[in-house]
Amino acid sequence: MFVGTMTLDILLGDVHSLKEKRGIVKPILAELDKRAAVGAAETGCLDLHRRAEIGVAVVAATAARVNEVLDDLEGAVAWRPEIELLSVRRRLHSDEDD
């Protein structure tokens, strides 16, 4: 069993309130869940209205499948014109890790 985690650091476009931020982040989270049935949540920058951190977790039988899913999800976020993807951090864990 392999677990992949990914943290996406996002700069939002013309956003002036936390309510506007939610209007952008919620559809991103819904799309990630719809595309791959993964665990996704806003995990950081909660009080900033132009920044968001989204965390994603994927479980699969092979490391290749985890990477394939994470690649797809990263691409789905990166193409969105209303945001700028600043950085992506990934980790791969296996059931053999200590």
Side-chain angles (χ1 to χ4, degrees), residues 16-84:
H16 302 288
S17 70
L18 293 176
K19 185 175 182 178
E20 289 179 27
K21 176 184 179 178
R22 277 194 311 274
I24 294 173
V25 173
K26 283 182 77 168
I28 293 172
L29 295 175
E31 181 181 356
L32 294 176
D33 185 50
K34 180 182 170 187
R35 288 179 79 96
V38 297
E42 185 177 3
T43 56
C45 303
L46 300 175
D47 294 335
L48 301 175
H49 63 272
R50 292 207 58 224
R51 292 287 293 273
E53 179 184 275
I54 294 177
V56 179
V58 177
V59 178
T62 66
R65 179 64 182 151
V66 168
N67 285 319
E68 180 182 313
V69 171
L70 291 177
D71 286 343
D72 178 55
L73 297 177
E74 181 181 340
V77 172
W79 76 266
R80 298 178 78 90
E82 70 272 21
I83 64 141
E84 180 180 346

